[in-house]
């Protein structure tokens, strides 16, 4: 764990002082779970559940905010069991799937979701032709129900295929009234009007937060980082944590803390837990 600047360290210290009224938001892939070739096998870090339960004793709430369907995140993360433990401790776990279009919490215990966006069905109809024309017919198409993701990780040259696909998929999404979200060897297309930044804003209001930390690894987390920064201008203690990797460095320049992958994220959460507990004991 390293601070990006002296200000980053000051922000961390300020967050520790208001930990009891802080929300900790976490991306899933690349943050709580490793990036793998088959996203359906991207299980949460084996130590993450225990770390989250310990953290919950020191903070107001924990939220997993992901582009995945909420059900996938719950299953791959064992998050329903984590939610049980948090609820028993009088705390709450939130899971926001598909960039906030799906919502689950440890108190409600069911997934609330939106309808598939207009234009998605026709986009899916036209997508195979676009892939063939771009020489990427073998790319894996993942239907998320409210979005479609095209993965290039399994192709012979994932980065080159990604770069080749990005322009035609951007145009196809535009024609169908959808937005495109590039990620690590994946291009996702979904409806406009929902992103992780909105989730951050809503959570801060619902919890009446005095602090908000968010950890992410990819371009889909930029809006969350921007929302956290805006909360800082409103007097809420902000902290942005980048789960860095060799594949993606987009968040490093706008982060307060930089760690290395899911292992680094868990080390950060352990330190936050210990420092918050020590601060609380000293009062």
């Amino acid at each position: 764990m390293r601070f990006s600047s002296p200000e980053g360290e000051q922000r961390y210290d300020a967050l520790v002082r208001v930990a009891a009224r802080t929300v900790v938001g976490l991306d899933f892939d690349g943050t709580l779970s490793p990036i793998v070739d088959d996203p359906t096998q991207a299980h949460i870090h084996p130590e993450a559940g225990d770390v989250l339960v310990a953290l919950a004793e020191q903070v107001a709430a924990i939220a997993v905010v992901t582009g995945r369907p909420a059900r996938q995140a719950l299953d791959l993360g064992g998050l329903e069991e984590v939610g049980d433990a948090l609820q028993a401790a009088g705390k709450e776990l939130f899971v926001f799937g598909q960039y906030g279009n799906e919502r689950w919490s440890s108190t409600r215990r069911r997934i609330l979701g939106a309808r598939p966006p207009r234009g998605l069905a026709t986009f899916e109809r036209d997508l195979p032709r676009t892939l063939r024309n771009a020489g990427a017919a073998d790319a894996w198409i993942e239907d998320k129900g409210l979005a479609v993701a095209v993965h290039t990780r399994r192709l012979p040259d994932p980065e080159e295929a990604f770069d080749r696909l990005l322009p035609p998929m951007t145009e196809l999404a535009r024609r169908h009234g959808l937005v495109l979200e590039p990620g690590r060897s994946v291009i996702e297309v979904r409806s406009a009007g929902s992103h992780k930044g909105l989730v951050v804003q809503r959570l801060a209001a619902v919890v009446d937060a005095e602090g908000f930390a968010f950890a992410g690894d990819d371009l889909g987390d930029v809006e969350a980082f921007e929302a956290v920064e805006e909360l800082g201008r409103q007097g809420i203690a902000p902290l942005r944590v980048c789960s860095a990797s060799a594949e993606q460095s987009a968040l490093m320049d706008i982060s307060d803390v930089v760690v290395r992958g899911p292992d680094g994220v868990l080390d950060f959460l352990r330190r936050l837990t210990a420092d918050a507990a020590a601060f609380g004991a000293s009062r």
Side-chain angles (χ1 to χ4, degrees):
M1 167 177 166
R2 68 174 178 83
F3 296 106
S4 60
S5 66
E7 182 186 10
E9 188 167 7
Q10 293 166 9
R11 285 184 167 199
Y12 175 79
D13 292 341
L15 190 83
V16 167
R17 291 194 291 270
V18 296
R21 298 298 311 156
T22 286
V23 178
V24 176
L26 300 155
D27 176 39
F28 192 86
D29 292 275
T31 302
L32 286 176
S33 72
I35 298 293
V36 295
D37 288 344
D38 183 353
T40 65
Q41 299 301 313
H43 294 281
I44 199 170
H45 191 291
E47 298 175 18
D50 290 340
V51 171
L52 295 179
V53 171
L55 174 66
E57 296 180 7
Q58 306 300 329
V59 301
I62 297 172
V64 175
V65 189
T66 175
R68 282 183 177 274
R71 172 47 58 192
Q72 278 189 9
L74 287 166
D75 292 345
L76 290 170
L79 295 178
E80 288 177 292
E81 292 79 6
V82 174
D84 290 340
L86 265 63
Q87 191 170 11
K91 299 298 177 71
E92 189 156 14
L93 174 69
F94 297 90
V95 176
F96 292 86
Q98 305 214 45
Y99 298 90
N101 281 309
E102 295 180 331
R103 303 175 302 284
W104 178 95
S105 73
S106 53
T107 55
R108 295 204 169 197
R109 313 299 296 189
R110 66 189 184 95
I111 297 171
L112 302 176
R115 294 180 178 179
R118 182 178 300 177
L120 187 63
T122 52
F123 172 87
E124 289 187 86
R125 181 198 65 198
D126 295 343
L127 179 58
R129 179 186 299 173
T130 299
L131 297 181
R132 288 195 302 272
N133 290 343
D138 292 333
W140 178 39
I141 302 173
E142 180 185 8
D143 186 345
K144 297 185 174 184
L146 302 180
V148 174
V150 175
H151 297 264
T152 65
R153 189 173 295 276
R154 299 178 182 177
L155 297 178
D157 189 338
E159 292 184 9
E160 191 275 336
F162 177 94
D163 292 340
R164 193 169 66 248
L165 272 176
L166 195 56
M169 282 194 61
T170 300
E171 173 58 23
L172 184 63
R174 185 196 64 78
R175 290 206 311 267
H176 292 278
L178 303 169
V179 298
L180 183 141
E181 189 79 57
R184 291 165 66 175
S185 299
V186 61
I187 303 170
E188 184 163 325
V189 174
R190 55 185 172 84
S191 62
S194 183
H195 54 73
K196 294 183 181 183
L198 295 176
V199 174
V200 168
Q201 294 168 4
R202 292 173 192 147
L203 270 176
V206 167
V207 178
D208 192 20
E210 295 180 18
F212 206 114
F214 193 93
D217 76 308
D218 208 343
L219 293 170
D221 300 306
V222 169
E223 289 94 344
F225 275 35
E226 291 173 345
V228 169
E229 193 68 3
E230 177 58 31
L231 292 178
R233 290 189 281 269
Q234 298 170 17
I236 295 173
L239 195 73
R240 303 160 300 173
V241 181
C242 171
S243 176
S245 72
E247 291 182 78
Q248 182 59 263
S249 60
L251 300 181
M252 292 183 66
D253 291 340
I254 56 173
S255 297
D256 303 303
V257 178
V258 178
V259 300
R260 183 60 60 180
D263 286 320
V265 171
L266 294 190
D267 286 343
F268 162 77
L269 296 179
R270 291 186 187 98
R271 175 170 172 177
L272 177 60
T273 300
D275 289 347
F279 177 79
S282 69
R283 299 185 66 181

